[in-house]
Amino acid sequence: MTQITSPAVELRVLVYSHDAATRSRVISALGPRPHPDLPEVHYTEVATAAVVTRHMDAGGIGLAILDGEAAPTGGLGLAKQLRDELDPCPPILVLIGRADDRWLADWSRADAAVTHPIDPLRLREAVTALLSADR
């Protein structure tokens, strides 16, 4: 898990969805600093699974937010793949279509899940909890 040592540290968050509007809603909901105790966030927007894999393999990502409703590659399957292939793997938050899909988020080994439509408060709380876990 990523450890943040001071609010001055840069945090890179990867946001994956085939839908530019979904990526925009995530970034708008979180803003440049989701919580005063967290560093400023720099976003990497990604629309394809291949580019997600490339960024994650390169390292430097502090959190991945993956859209479970993305097509043709959903964020849930991608989360499972990343967990299986990356060691260490940064925290992963998945966006799920409905609360009943929580079992899929558990199967994917995501660290957290937030339902569509995106609730900015819940998304910020989930991100803050993930990034503050090792502080």
Side-chain angles (χ1 to χ4, degrees):
M1 185 126 333
T2 303
Q3 184 171 4
I4 300 168
T5 56
S6 102
V9 173
E10 177 181 295
L11 174 63
R12 288 185 53 216
V13 174
L14 181 140
V15 180
Y16 164 69
S17 179
H18 75 282
D19 182 4
T22 298
R23 295 191 310 267
S24 179
R25 281 192 292 275
V26 167
I27 293 167
S28 293
L30 293 175
R33 186 171 244 145
H35 189 274
D37 293 339
L38 295 176
E40 184 174 340
V41 175
H42 298 276
Y43 296 98
T44 300
E45 291 186 62
V46 180
T48 66
V51 177
V52 169
T53 303
R54 209 170 318 136
H55 279 287
M56 297 296 280
D57 284 343
I61 300 295
L63 170 68
I65 300 175
L66 309 176
D67 183 4
E69 303 297 305
T73 304
L76 295 165
L78 192 52
K80 181 148 181 23
Q81 176 185 342
L82 293 170
R83 281 280 180 233
D84 290 346
E85 296 177 359
L86 291 179
D87 185 28
C89 185
I92 297 174
L93 181 144
V94 292
L95 304 173
I96 55 178
R98 38 191 201 115
D100 289 346
D101 292 338
R102 179 63 208 187
W103 73 272
L104 289 167
D106 293 340
W107 167 83
S108 75
R109 296 175 36 211
D111 298 292
V114 174
T115 58
H116 282 286
I118 295 166
D119 176 333
L121 181 59
R122 287 195 177 164
L123 183 61
R124 280 178 177 241
E125 287 173 350
V127 166
T128 300
L130 287 175
L131 296 176
S132 299
D134 285 343
R135 289 191 66 130

